[in-house]
Amino acid sequence: MRPHTPRVVSVIVGHPAVWFLARLALRGAYLLGGLTKLTDWQGALAEQAHFGVALPALSAALTIAVELIGPLLILSGQLVWLGSGMLGVFTLLAAIVANNFWAMPEGQDRFMAMNAFFEHIGLIGGFVLVAMLADRRER
């Protein structure tokens, strides 16, 4: 027999405000990143150049769009699957570009990049879970 979730925990995690705040916490960094890049275009271009991205202006514009539209879809409760998918794919690509630990020599930088890479993979799992929960809530 499996133990059941305590009632107080069920009440807390089932509250609509907690559902919203959890989605905001998972997406907040993307909103902030998108707004920061939008208000500092030169900084956004410099970031793309730092990572050696081809077509930095196009890439910066797409990054801003994904970082703003994805979270807004998720927070609005509309097309949560699309917003989560956008951020999941973006996060995977960003992790590969920015945290390519497999191409680094042994040492502290590689260790930090590896940790950051797998943290990003964890975020992707969070995006999938939010899409799954949103789908269940819609039914």
Side-chain angles (χ1 to χ4, degrees):
M1 185 167 146
R2 313 186 321 209
H4 294 285
T5 303
R7 173 119 176 90
V8 67
V9 173
S10 291
V11 168
I12 292 169
V13 299
H15 194 280
V18 173
W19 170 234
F20 178 81
L21 290 173
R23 289 178 293 151
L24 180 60
L26 190 58
R27 292 353 186 236
Y30 294 91
L31 279 173
L32 181 60
L35 289 171
T36 300
K37 290 173 184 72
L38 187 62
T39 59
D40 181 12
W41 179 249
Q42 292 306 312
L45 292 176
E47 180 182 53
Q48 299 302 316
H50 170 77
F51 291 115
V53 175
L55 305 171
L58 177 61
S59 181
L62 289 173
T63 296
I64 291 167
V66 168
E67 287 187 328
L68 295 178
I69 295 169
L72 292 176
L73 289 173
I74 293 161
L75 293 172
S76 73
Q78 302 299 311
L79 301 174
V80 173
W81 63 269
L82 179 59
S84 290
M86 290 169 66
L87 291 175
V89 170
F90 170 78
T91 301
L92 179 60
L93 294 174
I96 290 169
V97 170
N99 300 301
N100 59 341
F101 67 92
W102 52 88
M104 297 177 162
E106 291 291 330
Q108 186 65 22
D109 287 344
R110 179 181 180 165
F111 178 79
M112 297 298 288
M114 184 176 69
N115 279 345
F117 180 85
F118 286 106
E119 287 172 358
H120 283 82
I121 299 303
L123 281 171
I124 295 167
F127 301 145
V128 172
L129 288 172
V130 166
M132 290 169 63
L133 286 170
D135 181 59
R136 286 187 184 163
R137 290 172 74 93
E138 287 177 7
R139 291 187 207 174

